[in-house]
Amino acid sequence: MAVSIGLHVSPEFSAMLDRIDALGGALEADADAAEELGRLTEDIARALLGAGIVGAALPRSLGGYEFSPRQLIETVERVSYHDSAAGWTMMALQLMTGTTAAYLDAVAAADLFPDVAGGDHALLAGHGTRPGRAEVPSTSPQAPRSCRTAGNGSAARNPKRTGNFST
């Protein structure tokens, strides 16, 4: 017996692209100001969040649109067409907020995402890797000259972490 598994495709996708295109002129107009600030302007940040771009990555069970990977990429592409920094920012928020939301238990999800449709939800950014620092052994030719040592080969920068990437 063959089982057919289809990828969920959100019906909200076309409307999302229309909302992004409606913001295109404002994105382009504020791009230089955002570059000078080193962040999106308040007006653009609020407009993008109001358009539901982060909700595109949130699970349907929490009130999000749960876009397919292709739809998420095209959403970021559309924002980036107007302002690449805004596209990158929305991609980072979609990725971390959506991925985190998908793995939360019901209590945490209710606390962080009480009303996604109404815009009342957490925005999460960061990365999912473990803290620590990779070190090149100090005897390696790739090691910075300041780290090279004679003898046991421990790096001068952080000898406790050299060669040990676990916590």
Side-chain angles (χ1 to χ4, degrees):
M1 176 165 106
V3 176
S4 176
I5 300 175
L7 182 63
H8 166 73
V9 177
S10 175
E12 183 63 26
F13 180 63
S14 293
M16 175 69 69
L17 295 182
D18 290 343
R19 290 193 298 272
I20 293 168
D21 287 341
L23 295 173
L27 283 161
E28 293 166 16
D30 277 19
D32 288 338
E35 183 70 23
E36 186 69 28
L37 288 168
R39 61 174 174 77
L40 299 180
T41 65
E42 287 293 322
D43 290 342
I44 289 298
R46 290 184 192 286
L48 289 168
L49 293 174
I53 292 176
V54 174
L58 293 173
R60 286 183 290 177
S61 62
L62 296 176
Y65 302 128
E66 196 173 315
F67 279 13
S68 71
R70 180 191 58 78
Q71 289 176 316
L72 287 171
I73 290 167
E74 288 186 37
T75 300
V76 170
E77 177 184 47
R78 187 65 62 97
V79 175
S80 297
Y81 174 82
H82 299 290
D83 178 8
S84 58
W88 186 93
T89 301
M90 291 299 107
M91 180 272 310
L93 282 173
Q94 283 179 337
L95 178 65
M96 289 310 301
T97 304
T99 302
T100 301
Y103 290 97
L104 293 175
D105 69 13
V107 173
D111 188 41
L112 293 172
F113 301 96
D115 182 14
V116 170
D120 185 11
H121 60 82
L123 295 173
L124 307 169
H127 59 84
T129 61
R130 292 170 39 168
R133 186 170 150 176
E135 296 280 344
V136 176
S138 61
T139 56
S140 169
Q142 288 83 25
R145 190 172 303 286
S146 64
C147 285
R148 294 185 195 159
T149 62
N152 68 7
S154 62
R157 288 187 183 170
N158 191 349
K160 288 196 259 182
R161 297 295 293 177
T162 301
N164 178 7
F165 303 111
S166 62
T167 54

